Amino acid sequence: MTNVQPTRRTLTKGIAWSAPVMAAAASARAIAGSCPPDGTVMVLFSNNGCSTGNVDLRFDVSNGWTSTVTFAATRVTFSDRSTGAVSMSPVAVAAGGSTNGWGTVSPPAGTHVTQVAYILNGCTLGGEAGGCRA
């Protein structure tokens, strides 16, 4: 049985072909899942109402980062510690820009939103919600 070994030339060709693919994959992953550094994107929430039924949750996003960020509120925690989903379409915020909008939640009677979970550039974060007090 003959022992076949690759030549240095074959190895060099393989490395040369794979290097651009590896570099592109690494940079795409870094961009897609990169979170803005703390303090560069501000997300403010307020809950405009404590009634039963659907309640609007206002969000204001200011992006001081050097690239566009995507934002979507996903879940809320109410003052009775129950949780609920936020009905909201994701938004893109350009570098140096800001936007605001509304999400809709359905709090239990007599409660208000205290925490909001949101996704910013694929990273799950959270923040306090101010405004209404039951």
Side-chain angles (χ1 to χ4, degrees):
M1 185 162 137
T2 306
N3 188 6
V4 179
Q5 301 245 331
T7 65
R8 279 185 280 166
R9 182 180 179 123
T10 303
L11 289 174
T12 303
K13 278 195 216 174
I15 292 168
W17 276 101
S18 64
V21 173
M22 297 301 284
S27 64
R29 192 174 339 115
I31 292 168
S34 61
C35 295
D38 284 345
T40 56
V41 178
M42 299 296 297
V43 183
L44 305 173
F45 302 95
S46 64
N47 178 19
N48 297 327
C50 295
S51 61
T52 58
N54 290 338
V55 174
D56 287 331
L57 180 69
R58 178 185 168 88
F59 65 92
D60 297 295
V61 184
S62 297
N63 180 11
W65 207 25
T66 57
S67 60
T68 298
V69 296
T70 57
F71 166 83
T74 57
R75 294 195 67 72
V76 294
T77 302
F78 301 109
S79 55
D80 68 355
R81 297 191 178 166
S82 63
T83 59
V86 179
S87 175
M88 179 192 154
S89 298
V91 295
V93 187
S98 61
T99 191
N100 58 58
W102 301 91
T104 303
V105 297
S106 297
T111 68
H112 59 277
V113 176
T114 58
Q115 294 279 328
V116 179
Y118 59 95
I119 296 174
L120 184 65
N121 272 25
C123 304
T124 301
L125 305 167
E128 300 284 330
C132 173
R133 295 290 177 252

